[in-house]
Amino acid sequence: MNSTTRTDLPADGGLSIKLHELSLSIEGKTILDNLTLDAQVKRLGVVGRNGSGKSSLSRVLSGLVEAKSGELLVDGFNPFKDRKAALRGIGLLFQNPDHQIIFPTVLEEVVFGLRQLGQSKQLAKQNALATLAAFGKEHWQDAHVASLSGGQKHLVCLMAVMAMQPSLIILDEPFAGLDIPTKKQLTRYLSQFPGSLIHISHDPDDLAGYEQMLWLEGGKIAAFGASSEVLPAYLARMHKIGDGDDISQLAG
Ligand SMILES: Nc1ncnc2c1ncn2[C@@H]1O[C@H](COP(=O)(O)OP(=O)(O)O)[C@@H](O)[C@H]1O
Ligand SMILES: [Mg+2]
């Protein structure tokens, strides 16, 4: 590693995310607008108002959607073009676990991702059980997902993603609507994740310990840098808007 004076690097480096003039349009509407970023990411928070492009960015970064204009490299590869590397290296956790879970039981759900990685049935089952054990949830293996609470379903999704041992997990507002104890427990599991985390939230309280912050506004980068600088500016702006009456505006 070369000597650098950049202040946005976490102490232990992290995974490289490079965007160069990246834009995403859907049906002629610009959703992400000319994003350029060169970051080493260990714990990156992404904040922004509803509709600012956070979920779209999560889909682009995980390779689910192609940004046809500009360049993108996550850990040195383009996640849309190199689907194998993306499946292995990048996990995505949606806000709504019901959009993620497809199997009836917890074990089947966790096994599925590992089978996708090419593991044999036997190895996938062994690794899935090892992941459940690491979370102290072996007794959940035959539980029907439909019988679980919202927080428990989130944990199933997190276990399924973590079992695949990605180097990056992207979390798209995973804690919205969860109660405080559930949030705290999931945050504790996440803090033990050895890889990199990109955590999207409109609520800075969810992002304690995230040393870098990306603020999106209208599909553009409003700010990127140390959380200690970006978050106060973001909050001041949000409160200022909140003191006005912009939610009554219909055209935007
Ligand atoms: N598939 C889509 N088709 C059309 N418009 C979309 C689509 N996905 C997102 N958008 C629009 O893109 C903008 C950003 O959305 P999104 O990425 O979901 O923002 P956020 O997650 O910050 O709330 C919004 O105006 C939204 O309506
Ligand atoms: Mg969103």
Side-chain angles (χ1 to χ4, degrees):
M1 185 162 282
N2 57 13
S3 64
T4 172
T5 53
R6 283 172 55 185
T7 55
D8 56 335
L9 293 179
D12 58 348
L15 180 134
S16 147
I17 308 264
K18 290 181 194 232
L19 314 179
H20 184 68
E21 296 176 0
L22 182 129
S23 295
L24 173 73
S25 301
I26 299 177
E27 291 163 10
K29 185 179 167 205
T30 302
I31 312 274
L32 297 174
D33 192 358
N34 203 30
L35 308 186
T36 294
L37 182 76
D38 185 352
Q40 298 287 120
V41 166
K42 190 73 188 174
R43 294 290 184 268
L44 171 68
V46 180
V47 292
R49 299 191 67 190
N50 295 335
S52 58
K54 305 183 298 300
S55 293
S56 303
L57 181 63
S58 77
R59 287 194 284 272
V60 168
L61 288 177
S62 53
L64 296 181
V65 166
E66 182 178 26
K68 294 214 171 64
S69 154
E71 286 154 39
L72 167 67
L73 287 176
V74 177
D75 203 15
F77 64 89
N78 179 311
F80 185 79
K81 296 195 170 120
D82 192 344
R83 291 304 301 146
K84 216 169 163 187
L87 188 65
R88 187 166 297 279
I90 307 172
L92 178 61
L93 212 66
F94 294 105
Q95 174 172 344
N96 185 342
D98 292 329
H99 293 166
Q100 189 141 4
I101 295 172
I102 40 184
F103 286 91
T105 70
V106 171
L107 186 63
E108 286 171 296
E109 183 63 30
V110 181
V111 161
F112 172 70
L114 298 171
R115 294 282 287 148
Q116 294 280 95
L117 291 183
Q119 294 184 9
S120 69
K121 260 187 191 160
Q122 198 188 358
L123 182 63
K125 186 173 175 193
Q126 191 181 317
N127 285 332
L129 286 171
T131 301
L132 294 185
F135 282 82
K137 296 288 177 282
E138 295 114 304
H139 57 292
W140 281 19
Q141 60 178 287
D142 296 321
H144 281 260
V145 176
S147 70
L148 302 178
S149 71
Q152 290 169 332
K153 286 183 190 172
H154 273 91
L155 184 53
V156 171
C157 292
L158 187 59
M159 290 192 294
V161 168
M162 284 211 188
M164 295 170 77
Q165 300 187 316
S167 35
L168 168 67
I169 298 180
I170 302 172
L171 308 134
D172 186 8
E173 311 230 24
F175 298 166
L178 296 184
D179 64 18
I180 293 169
T182 309
K183 263 194 208 187
K184 279 188 89 163
Q185 286 159 21
L186 290 170
T187 301
R188 201 165 58 240
Y189 289 126
L190 281 172
S191 69
Q192 289 156 10
F193 178 62
S196 295
L197 297 175
I198 297 180
H199 190 149
I200 296 168
S201 178
H202 61 270
D203 183 357
D205 285 349
D206 293 344
L207 300 174
Y210 284 68
E211 60 272 275
Q212 289 169 296
M213 206 56 58
L214 177 68
W215 168 11
L216 290 182
E217 196 61 62
K220 292 187 165 73
I221 296 178
F224 168 68
S227 304
S228 54
E229 289 169 20
V230 175
L231 276 182
Y234 167 71
L235 283 171
R237 173 100 183 110
M238 293 305 108
H239 287 295
K240 187 156 185 268
I241 295 172
D243 289 338
D245 194 23
D246 89 325
I247 51 174
S248 67
Q249 311 269 332
L250 287 178

